[in-house]
Amino acid sequence: EVQLLESGGDLVQPGGSLRLSCAGSEFTFPSYAMSWVRQAPGKGLEWVAGVSGSGRNTYYADSVMRRFTISRDNSNNTVYLLLTSLRAEDTAIYYCARDKLGSWGWYFDLWGRGTLVAVSS
Amino acid sequence: SSELTQDPAVSVALGQTVRITCQGDSLISSYASWYQQKPGQAPVLVIYDKNHRPSGIPDRFSGSKSGNTASLTITGAQAEDEADYYCNSRDNTGDRYVFGTGTRVTVL
Protein backbone atom coordinates (compact mmCIF):
# COMPACT_ATOMS: atom_id res chain seq x y z
CA GLU A 1 0.00 0.00 0.00
CA VAL A 2 1.24 3.48 -0.89
CA GLN A 3 1.65 5.29 2.41
CA LEU A 4 3.61 7.67 4.61
CA LEU A 5 4.33 6.88 8.25
CA GLU A 6 5.61 9.51 10.65
CA SER A 7 7.41 8.87 13.91
CA GLY A 8 9.48 10.69 16.50
CA GLY A 9 6.93 12.94 18.14
CA ASP A 10 7.37 13.44 21.88
CA LEU A 11 7.07 15.78 24.86
CA VAL A 12 10.07 18.10 24.93
CA GLN A 13 11.07 21.08 27.05
CA PRO A 14 11.26 24.61 25.64
CA GLY A 15 14.62 25.13 23.96
CA GLY A 16 14.96 21.43 23.29
CA SER A 17 15.36 19.48 20.05
CA LEU A 18 13.63 16.60 18.33
CA ARG A 19 13.94 14.73 15.04
CA LEU A 20 10.86 13.57 13.20
CA SER A 21 10.96 10.86 10.54
CA CYS A 22 8.60 10.01 7.72
CA ALA A 23 8.97 6.72 5.87
CA GLY A 24 7.45 6.32 2.44
CA SER A 25 6.47 2.96 1.01
CA GLU A 26 5.29 1.48 -2.27
CA PHE A 27 6.22 4.43 -4.47
CA THR A 28 9.37 5.77 -6.13
CA PHE A 29 10.44 7.97 -3.27
CA PRO A 30 13.22 10.02 -5.01
CA SER A 31 10.77 11.12 -7.69
CA TYR A 32 8.78 13.24 -5.26
CA ALA A 33 9.37 16.42 -3.36
CA MET A 34 8.15 16.13 0.22
CA SER A 35 6.76 18.54 2.79
CA TRP A 36 6.01 18.79 6.48
CA VAL A 37 2.73 20.43 7.50
CA ARG A 38 1.70 21.07 11.09
CA GLN A 39 -1.51 21.75 12.95
CA ALA A 40 -1.54 23.31 16.41
CA PRO A 41 -4.37 22.21 18.73
CA GLY A 42 -7.65 23.64 17.49
CA LYS A 43 -5.93 25.57 14.70
CA GLY A 44 -5.54 25.35 10.94
CA LEU A 45 -2.93 23.75 8.73
CA GLU A 46 0.47 25.41 8.37
CA TRP A 47 3.07 24.39 5.79
CA VAL A 48 6.41 24.17 7.58
CA ALA A 49 9.13 22.93 5.22
CA GLY A 50 9.74 21.25 1.89
CA VAL A 51 12.57 19.36 0.18
CA SER A 52 13.13 18.52 -3.46
CA GLY A 53 13.32 14.93 -4.65
CA SER A 54 17.10 14.96 -4.75
CA GLY A 55 17.37 16.68 -1.38
CA ARG A 56 19.44 19.54 -2.84
CA ASN A 57 16.79 22.22 -2.39
CA THR A 58 15.01 23.01 0.85
CA TYR A 59 12.39 25.61 1.73
CA TYR A 60 11.00 26.86 5.04
CA ALA A 61 8.16 28.91 6.45
CA ASP A 62 9.31 32.12 8.10
CA SER A 63 8.07 30.83 11.48
CA VAL A 64 10.62 27.99 11.55
CA MET A 65 13.48 29.40 9.46
CA ARG A 66 16.89 28.76 11.07
CA ARG A 67 15.31 26.54 13.76
CA PHE A 68 14.06 23.58 11.73
CA THR A 69 15.98 21.56 9.13
CA ILE A 70 14.41 19.26 6.56
CA SER A 71 16.45 16.53 4.91
CA ARG A 72 15.95 13.18 3.24
CA ASP A 73 17.65 9.82 2.77
CA ASN A 74 16.47 8.38 -0.52
CA SER A 75 18.29 5.10 0.12
CA ASN A 76 15.92 4.56 3.06
CA ASN A 77 12.84 6.28 1.59
CA THR A 78 12.74 8.63 4.57
CA VAL A 79 12.37 12.37 5.05
CA TYR A 80 13.37 14.02 8.30
CA LEU A 81 12.55 17.20 10.16
CA LEU A 82 15.00 18.34 12.81
CA LEU A 83 13.35 20.71 15.27
CA THR A 84 15.62 22.86 17.45
CA SER A 85 15.12 25.80 19.82
CA LEU A 86 11.59 24.55 20.35
CA ARG A 87 8.93 26.90 21.64
CA ALA A 88 5.49 26.32 23.15
CA GLU A 89 3.94 27.55 19.89
CA ASP A 90 5.61 24.67 18.03
CA THR A 91 3.23 22.28 19.80
CA ALA A 92 1.29 20.58 17.01
CA ILE A 93 0.59 17.45 15.07
CA TYR A 94 3.22 17.25 12.34
CA TYR A 95 2.12 15.66 9.08
CA CYS A 96 4.34 14.44 6.29
CA ALA A 97 2.93 15.00 2.78
CA ARG A 98 3.94 14.08 -0.75
CA ASP A 99 4.17 16.94 -3.22
CA LYS A 100 2.90 16.39 -6.72
CA LEU A 101 3.13 18.64 -9.76
CA GLY A 102 0.00 18.58 -11.85
CA SER A 103 -0.88 20.36 -15.07
CA TRP A 104 -1.95 23.47 -13.21
CA GLY A 105 0.13 23.54 -10.08
CA TRP A 106 1.43 21.70 -7.05
CA TYR A 107 -0.62 19.84 -4.49
CA PHE A 108 -0.31 17.25 -1.70
CA ASP A 109 -1.66 13.93 -2.91
CA LEU A 110 -0.61 11.67 -0.03
CA TRP A 111 -0.54 12.37 3.71
CA GLY A 112 0.68 10.50 6.73
CA ARG A 113 -1.34 10.16 9.94
CA GLY A 114 0.84 12.63 11.81
CA THR A 115 3.01 12.62 14.91
CA LEU A 116 2.45 14.81 17.97
CA VAL A 117 5.06 17.22 19.25
CA ALA A 118 4.34 18.83 22.62
CA VAL A 119 6.63 21.56 23.95
CA SER A 120 6.19 22.15 27.66
CA SER A 121 8.17 22.35 30.86
CA SER B 1 4.11 36.79 2.94
CA SER B 2 1.11 35.44 1.00
CA GLU B 3 -2.21 34.83 2.72
CA LEU B 4 -5.30 32.88 1.74
CA THR B 5 -8.52 33.93 3.41
CA GLN B 6 -11.55 31.71 3.92
CA ASP B 7 -14.83 32.21 5.74
CA PRO B 8 -14.54 30.54 9.17
CA ALA B 9 -17.79 28.60 8.94
CA VAL B 10 -20.70 27.86 6.64
CA SER B 11 -23.76 25.67 7.00
CA VAL B 12 -25.80 23.85 4.40
CA ALA B 13 -29.03 21.88 4.50
CA LEU B 14 -28.78 18.22 3.63
CA GLY B 15 -28.92 17.82 -0.16
CA GLN B 16 -28.38 21.50 -0.89
CA THR B 17 -25.39 23.26 -2.44
CA VAL B 18 -22.63 25.13 -0.62
CA ARG B 19 -19.72 27.11 -1.99
CA ILE B 20 -16.54 27.72 0.00
CA THR B 21 -14.30 30.54 -1.15
CA CYS B 22 -10.58 31.19 -0.79
CA GLN B 23 -9.15 34.61 -1.59
CA GLY B 24 -5.55 35.67 -2.01
CA ASP B 25 -3.09 37.36 -4.35
CA SER B 26 -1.19 34.13 -5.02
CA LEU B 27 -4.31 32.75 -6.72
CA ILE B 28 -4.07 35.27 -9.53
CA SER B 29 -1.25 33.25 -11.09
CA SER B 30 -1.93 29.78 -9.67
CA TYR B 31 -4.72 27.34 -8.92
CA ALA B 32 -5.74 26.15 -5.49
CA SER B 33 -5.93 22.61 -4.26
CA TRP B 34 -8.53 21.72 -1.64
CA TYR B 35 -8.34 19.42 1.39
CA GLN B 36 -11.02 17.94 3.61
CA GLN B 37 -10.20 17.21 7.24
CA LYS B 38 -12.49 15.40 9.64
CA PRO B 39 -11.91 15.46 13.41
CA GLY B 40 -8.92 13.40 14.48
CA GLN B 41 -7.93 12.57 10.91
CA ALA B 42 -5.28 13.67 8.45
CA PRO B 43 -6.28 15.97 5.59
CA VAL B 44 -7.50 14.39 2.36
CA LEU B 45 -7.08 15.92 -1.10
CA VAL B 46 -10.46 16.57 -2.75
CA ILE B 47 -9.67 18.92 -5.67
CA TYR B 48 -6.49 19.61 -7.65
CA ASP B 49 -5.54 20.95 -11.08
CA LYS B 50 -8.40 23.42 -11.49
CA ASN B 51 -11.21 20.90 -11.11
CA HIS B 52 -9.88 17.35 -10.88
CA ARG B 53 -10.91 14.87 -8.20
CA PRO B 54 -8.71 12.07 -6.92
CA SER B 55 -10.05 8.56 -7.20
CA GLY B 56 -12.71 7.97 -4.57
CA ILE B 57 -13.82 11.60 -4.21
CA PRO B 58 -17.51 11.98 -5.14
CA ASP B 59 -18.40 14.08 -8.16
CA ARG B 60 -20.48 16.40 -5.99
CA PHE B 61 -17.17 18.15 -5.22
CA SER B 62 -16.01 20.68 -7.83
CA GLY B 63 -13.54 23.53 -8.04
CA SER B 64 -13.33 26.83 -9.89
CA LYS B 65 -11.45 30.13 -9.89
CA SER B 66 -12.14 33.73 -10.80
CA GLY B 67 -9.41 36.33 -10.46
CA ASN B 68 -7.89 36.00 -7.00
CA THR B 69 -10.67 33.80 -5.61
CA ALA B 70 -10.87 30.02 -5.73
CA SER B 71 -14.05 28.16 -4.86
CA LEU B 72 -14.96 24.66 -3.76
CA THR B 73 -18.57 23.71 -4.38
CA ILE B 74 -20.40 20.78 -2.85
CA THR B 75 -23.55 20.06 -4.87
CA GLY B 76 -26.02 17.98 -2.90
CA ALA B 77 -24.18 18.00 0.42
CA GLN B 78 -24.26 14.80 2.45
CA ALA B 79 -23.89 14.30 6.19
CA GLU B 80 -20.42 12.82 5.65
CA ASP B 81 -19.25 16.08 4.05
CA GLU B 82 -19.30 17.80 7.43
CA ALA B 83 -15.65 18.69 7.96
CA ASP B 84 -13.04 21.43 7.82
CA TYR B 85 -11.92 22.45 4.34
CA TYR B 86 -8.62 24.13 3.47
CA CYS B 87 -7.37 25.66 0.24
CA ASN B 88 -3.69 25.69 -0.63
CA SER B 89 -1.40 27.13 -3.28
CA ARG B 90 2.18 28.11 -3.83
CA ASP B 91 2.98 31.50 -2.38
CA ASN B 92 4.23 34.50 -4.35
CA THR B 93 7.84 33.26 -4.21
CA GLY B 94 6.81 30.08 -6.00
CA ASP B 95 8.95 28.01 -3.63
CA ARG B 96 6.74 27.78 -0.57
CA TYR B 97 3.14 26.88 0.14
CA VAL B 98 0.38 28.67 1.95
CA PHE B 99 -2.82 27.20 3.39
CA GLY B 100 -6.08 29.03 3.70
CA THR B 101 -7.47 29.82 7.13
CA GLY B 102 -9.98 26.99 6.86
CA THR B 103 -13.78 26.72 6.65
CA ARG B 104 -15.88 24.51 8.89
CA VAL B 105 -18.83 23.09 6.98
CA THR B 106 -21.87 22.01 8.97
CA VAL B 107 -24.56 19.93 7.27
CA LEU B 108 -27.96 20.59 8.84
Side-chain angles (χ1 to χ4, degrees), chain A residues 18-22 29 32-37 47-61 64-73 78-84 94-99 108, chain B residues 95-97:
Chain A
L18 202 60
R19 190 179 80 161
L20 308 182
S21 301
C22 169
F29 193 76
Y32 292 89
M34 300 293 295
S35 286
W36 286 94
V37 175
W47 177 84
V48 171
V51 61
S52 62
S54 66
R56 278 195 293 271
N57 299 305
T58 57
Y59 309 95
Y60 299 93
V64 305
M65 190 83 69
R66 288 179 289 278
R67 296 191 302 122
F68 291 7
T69 303
I70 189 170
S71 62
R72 64 192 296 160
D73 178 356
T78 302
V79 61
Y80 302 99
L81 187 67
L82 176 64
L83 293 66
T84 65
Y94 285 73
Y95 295 102
C96 174
R98 187 174 75 175
D99 299 29
F108 305 115
Chain B
D95 294 329
R96 303 186 293 186
Y97 292 94

Side-chain angles (χ1 to χ4, degrees), chain B residues 13-77:
Chain B
L14 185 67
Q16 296 303 302
T17 296
V18 62
R19 186 167 73 174
I20 304 161
T21 60
C22 168
Q23 189 171 32
D25 290 343
S26 62
L27 296 177
I28 293 174
S29 56
S30 66
Y31 285 88
S33 54
W34 290 91
Y35 303 85
Q36 176 193 69
Q37 187 181 35
K38 296 181 179 180
Q41 298 183 19
V44 172
L45 176 69
V46 294
I47 290 289
Y48 67 98
D49 267 359
K50 281 188 176 181
N51 188 23
H52 282 75
R53 288 172 285 102
S55 174
I57 301 301
D59 60 5
R60 62 179 178 269
F61 289 90
S62 62
S64 61
K65 189 186 86 157
S66 177
N68 71 340
T69 302
S71 299
L72 174 70
T73 301
I74 309 174
T75 304

Side-chain angles (χ1 to χ4, degrees), chain B residues 45 60 70 82 85 101:
Chain B
L45 176 69
R60 62 179 178 269
E82 192 163 281
Y85 291 84
T101 49

